[in-house]
Amino acid sequence: AGAKLLLDTQNEDGSWGYTYTLPAARAGLNQQPNWAIIETAFAILFLAKGRAPIFINKLSFDGDWNNDPRDAANLTRYASDALETHFNWQIIDIKSDVDGWFDAPLMYLSGTAPPKLTLEQKTRLRHYIAKGGCLLACATCAKPEYIQGMKALGAELWPEVEWKKLEDAHPIFTRQSHFDLKARPELWALTDQQGFAFFLLAAEDVGCVWHQNLTTNQEDWFRFGINAVRYAARGKPIRSRLDRAADNPAAATPAAQK
């Protein structure tokens, strides 16, 4: 909405705001600020920040989806420093069009109890995975009911695939993704026939660590976040949202198609 407003109000010469005419300048008003320069500078800063790649999506739904409101923000800030690239993050409403979910490689969700999804919303999740998406669910406070509920949801949506605990040598924990991790959260996954883990379930409260920004004593959990996003990207660069239309994942995973 902000970008559209700026494009709609841009001057013919490419600037924003207004400047003084020559007669006004001769009248001594040239000592006033040149608002066109100031407004153009802020408009360009706004547009430049909006071009930053979306590092991670956070899924919102009816329920306690936002127990750790700063989780994605702090992870994204850490990733921006670690990867020397400015990233943004965003919230995705589960009721929104699935095609808009691909701004980021990974969809993150959390809670103390599994979300109560409608049939239409479950269909959206299947459609998202079928188009090449990847889910990471994290159990707030490591609640057993959330872990069990998410495993049940995965079994309902992809009954042909079994949950398996990922081994320490899995690429998501190693430099194959980016970092070799010494500390690894307990991670379960549904994996397709090509060996890609398309639904990840962390049985520990990773989101709380991100939310509290505990980078000093639990930095590996931030590195895990980077690894998860890069793993979900399947070796592709984390791209700007402007490139999404040209680089939208189209290859469906065999597990999701069945």
Side-chain angles (χ1 to χ4, degrees), residues 4 93 119 178 203 210 218 225 242:
K4 184 178 186 303
D93 191 328
L119 178 59
H178 194 76
W210 295 344
Q218 290 182 280
L242 295 179

Side-chain angles (χ1 to χ4, degrees), residues 35 104 153 232 257:
W35 294 110
L153 176 63
Q257 287 181 322

Side-chain angles (χ1 to χ4, degrees), residues 9-233:
T9 58
Q10 189 174 20
N11 297 326
E12 291 184 2
D13 64 357
S15 68
W16 282 268
Y18 63 92
T19 187
Y20 292 104
T21 62
L22 186 58
R26 286 174 177 169
L29 297 179
N30 58 330
Q31 299 303 315
Q32 299 285 341
N34 189 331
W35 294 110
I37 293 176
I38 297 171
E39 292 187 34
T40 298
F42 278 106
I44 292 173
L45 284 172
F46 177 86
L47 293 173
K49 185 174 182 179
R51 288 190 68 253
I54 304 298
F55 185 73
I56 193 169
N57 290 328
K58 183 173 181 177
L59 189 65
S60 69
F61 47 85
D62 292 335
D64 62 341
W65 65 275
N66 200 29
N67 291 295
D68 298 308
R70 299 300 297 168
D71 46 11
N74 288 337
L75 172 63
T76 300
R77 184 181 300 109
Y78 178 88
S80 295
D81 291 340
L83 302 180
E84 298 182 344
T85 302
H86 177 66
F87 293 113
N88 287 329
W89 67 282
Q90 66 183 3
I91 295 172
I92 294 290
D93 191 328
I94 197 170
K95 300 174 184 177
S96 63
D97 185 354
V98 173
D99 287 342
W101 296 15
F102 289 96
D103 285 341
L106 183 67
M107 182 71 75
Y108 162 71
L109 64 155
S110 65
T112 56
K116 296 179 180 179
L117 305 179
T118 65
L119 178 59
E120 181 181 1
Q121 291 166 353
K122 291 176 182 178
T123 301
R124 282 197 178 95
L125 290 179
R126 281 186 54 86
H127 183 51
Y128 170 65
I129 295 299
K131 295 188 70 176
C134 185
L135 295 167
L136 170 62
C138 294
T140 302
C141 300
K143 291 285 188 178
E145 53 266 39
Y146 182 84
I147 298 168
Q148 295 165 6
M150 295 307 292
K151 286 184 176 181
L153 176 63
E156 177 187 352
L157 298 183
W158 297 280
E160 69 283 354
V161 186
E162 294 184 4
W163 284 99
K164 293 184 179 180
K165 184 179 177 181
L166 298 185
E167 301 293 335
D168 289 349
H170 191 276
I172 203 169
F173 295 133
T174 71
R175 68 181 60 186
Q176 287 180 262
S177 293
H178 194 76
F179 292 108
D180 273 326
L181 303 181
K182 296 180 179 179
R184 309 171 186 88
E186 180 181 328
L187 195 64
W188 295 78
L190 295 178
T191 304
D192 66 22
Q193 294 177 359
Q194 277 67 49
F196 179 76
F198 61 88
F199 193 167
L200 303 162
L201 173 59
E204 299 178 59
D205 198 351
V206 176
C208 183
V209 173
W210 295 344
H211 169 72
Q212 296 183 67
N213 208 29
L214 302 178
T215 57
T216 301
N217 55 354
Q218 290 182 280
E219 187 173 15
D220 264 357
W221 288 37
F222 286 82
R223 291 172 173 169
F224 163 72
I226 291 177
N227 279 17
V229 170
R230 292 181 67 92
Y231 176 81

